[in-house]
Amino acid sequence: MSDRLEPPKRYPKREEQKSSAPSKKENKIVKPDKKAFESSGILTLGGFDIPFFVITMALVIIGLIMLFSASYPSALQKFGDSYHYFSRQLIFSVAGIVIMLAVSKLNYRLLKVAVYPLFAITILLLIIVLFYHTDYKEFKRWIPLFGSITIQPSDIAKFTIVIVLADYISKNYKKMKNLINGIVYPVGILAVFCGLIFLEHHNSGVILVFLIGAVMMFCGGANWKLFALGAGLVAAVAVFVVMNPGVMMDYAGERIVAWLDKDYEPLGARWQTNNSLYAIGSGGFFGAGLGNSKQKFLYVSEPQNDFIFSIVCEELGFVGAAVIILLFALLFVRGLQIAMKTNDRFAALTVIGIVSQVAIQTIFNILVVTDSIPNTGISLPFFSYGGTSILMLLFEMGVVLSISRKANQKKV
């Protein structure tokens, strides 16, 4: 027997045996989270914002109805087919709705990858249209594709500037307070777009792109003092142009003169605006009734385009026009709610840029048809005729719906 004492053996308790034994849960093969996989890749899950979708669809449907009502006399006179404008817009609208729903399912982060290719393609199109375009007066706005199908690069540019600035501001947010990063660089980007669009003789496009960019710079954190100084300079230039319309191109200068002088060429430069005012005034409170406009019978020139809102006022009256304005306002407010409830700065700025574009176009179009500002040729979103316009609008609405899936908000 050994004199050396050995420590007693210690046997594990039953609880320790259980804890040390490999569990079935640990041995189980963990399957990848489908939701996490799809939301981080090409597709994204979750329900999109129903109110925003409903408002968008309401504007599309009302816009199509009013387009047909406003355009059939002009379409019959020009093409011998009352449905010419309506049928084409209907096709583009249906295609746009399909695109909207498809884009709403895609992960919006794909736009971050597409920023530079989209920028390059848009600039290329803006250059091509200067040399290869449809023959329409002195304007160089549409690239002919095949048949009577055309594409308007400035409509694409309105979306591209939103994505480019959203990407730039989200990457340089902490530097937006200084002059170089917050003002000079963003204005330089805007100058490239606005300069090319100006060469198309498309002043309304220049105004829209510039204002969209200004809104995004302000919301992106640009120094408000520098921003206010820049806004003051722009306002001073605008006043100078109004007081000296001769510095503008012939057609633009004439429109300013016609706006200032209400008796100027009533059968020429003032013709469209005067008949627009007649249409609005004759609509009264409840309107003449859907389809009962008189001014659309070749009095209001191109009633399917920039001055369609005057026909809306004549047929639906103040009440109908107010409902449509309310729908646009709700679209803008709902878009801002989506933007404020997402924790991604790029996504928030993208939504703000898109809904601001719709709001700015709507406000300017109504100001034009009511003769509150000179005729700028700005179309009314969802209402005015234009294939590229409705496709891009619905594509942009799809982007907002995609972002709404990721926004931390209660789904209705």
Side-chain angles (χ1 to χ4, degrees), residues 309-347:
F309 191 72
S310 65
I311 307 302
V312 171
C313 293
E314 185 179 7
E315 295 190 350
L316 304 184
F318 174 81
V319 173
V323 169
I324 291 170
I325 293 173
L326 178 62
L327 284 173
F328 279 112
L330 289 174
L331 185 80
F332 178 72
V333 171
R334 192 64 184 182
L336 291 184
Q337 290 175 344
I338 292 170
M340 289 187 293
K341 292 177 181 178
T342 181
N343 57 2
D344 185 332
R345 185 170 286 112
F346 171 82

Side-chain angles (χ1 to χ4, degrees), residues 49 51 108 333-345 347-349 351-352 403-412:
D49 192 73
Y108 70 86
V333 171
R334 192 64 184 182
L336 291 184
Q337 290 175 344
I338 292 170
M340 289 187 293
K341 292 177 181 178
T342 181
N343 57 2
D344 185 332
R345 185 170 286 112
L349 288 169
V351 174
I352 289 172
I403 293 172
S404 76
R405 293 180 188 272
K406 306 293 290 183
N408 184 22
Q409 62 178 12
K410 181 181 178 181
K411 301 298 182 220
V412 180

Side-chain angles (χ1 to χ4, degrees), residues 20-36:
S20 62
S23 65
K24 293 182 180 179
K25 195 171 185 181
E26 289 177 357
N27 291 334
K28 187 178 179 181
I29 298 175
V30 180
K31 295 182 179 180
D33 186 354
K34 182 180 178 183
K35 182 174 181 179

Side-chain angles (χ1 to χ4, degrees), residues 116-156:
Y116 295 110
L118 183 60
F119 175 81
I121 292 171
T122 304
I123 294 299
L124 181 62
L125 290 173
L126 290 173
I127 293 172
I128 290 174
V129 76
L130 299 177
F131 303 97
Y132 178 64
H133 52 81
T134 57
D135 295 325
Y136 182 70
K137 299 180 180 178
E138 68 268 38
F139 304 126
K140 305 173 183 178
R141 302 181 184 178
W142 299 274
I143 298 175
L145 297 179
F146 51 88
S148 57
I149 304 297
T150 60
I151 183 173
Q152 189 168 6
S154 59
D155 281 331
I156 301 173

Side-chain angles (χ1 to χ4, degrees), residues 161-410:
I161 195 64
V162 169
I163 299 302
V164 170
L165 286 180
D167 180 69
Y168 172 83
I169 294 172
S170 62
K171 290 178 178 177
N172 298 276
Y173 182 73
K174 294 181 179 179
K175 303 176 184 178
M176 288 296 291
K177 294 297 182 183
N178 64 57
L179 175 63
I180 301 299
N181 296 98
I183 301 294
V184 175
Y185 287 161
V187 170
I189 296 171
L190 280 173
V192 173
F193 283 86
C194 292
L196 289 172
I197 296 173
F198 179 78
L199 295 176
E200 299 177 12
H201 294 186
H202 193 184
N203 289 332
S204 60
V206 174
I207 293 170
L208 278 174
V209 169
F210 179 81
L211 290 177
I212 293 168
V215 169
M216 295 192 67
M217 288 168 58
F218 182 78
C219 295
N223 187 301
W224 71 268
K225 294 180 180 179
L226 295 174
F227 190 87
L229 178 61
L233 291 174
V234 171
V237 171
V239 171
F240 174 80
V241 170
V242 169
M243 300 304 294
N244 301 273
V247 300
M248 298 294 290
M249 300 177 198
D250 292 340
Y251 78 94
E254 186 179 34
R255 288 178 178 180
I256 295 174
V257 172
W259 176 65
L260 294 171
D261 184 1
K262 308 305 180 185
D263 294 325
Y264 180 79
E265 294 188 4
L267 299 179
R270 286 286 307 179
W271 172 264
Q272 190 173 32
T273 302
N274 286 343
N275 281 286
S276 171
L277 296 176
Y278 297 152
I280 295 170
S282 62
F285 198 74
F286 294 106
L290 184 64
N292 293 329
S293 165
K294 294 182 176 64
Q295 296 301 316
K296 67 185 177 185
F297 287 94
L298 309 184
Y299 290 100
V300 174
S301 307
E302 304 288 334
Q304 75 280 0
N305 283 331
D306 307 339
F307 279 76
I308 191 172
F309 191 72
S310 65
I311 307 302
V312 171
C313 293
E314 185 179 7
E315 295 190 350
L316 304 184
F318 174 81
V319 173
V323 169
I324 291 170
I325 293 173
L326 178 62
L327 284 173
F328 279 112
L330 289 174
L331 185 80
F332 178 72
V333 171
R334 192 64 184 182
L336 291 184
Q337 290 175 344
I338 292 170
M340 289 187 293
K341 292 177 181 178
T342 181
N343 57 2
D344 185 332
R345 185 170 286 112
F346 171 82
L349 288 169
T350 298
V351 174
I352 289 172
I354 289 173
V355 296
S356 295
Q357 172 200 327
V358 176
I360 292 168
Q361 277 194 235
T362 302
I363 292 170
F364 270 74
N365 179 270
I366 294 173
L367 290 175
V368 166
V369 300
T370 55
D371 200 26
S372 301
I373 62 173
N375 187 351
T376 56
I378 294 179
S379 60
L380 183 63
F382 301 108
F383 283 71
S384 296
Y385 174 74
T388 308
S389 176
I390 193 67
L391 283 176
M392 285 304 303
L393 271 172
L394 290 173
F395 171 83
E396 291 171 339
M397 298 304 105
V399 172
V400 175
L401 290 174
S402 172
I403 293 172
S404 76
R405 293 180 188 272
K406 306 293 290 183
N408 184 22
Q409 62 178 12
K410 181 181 178 181

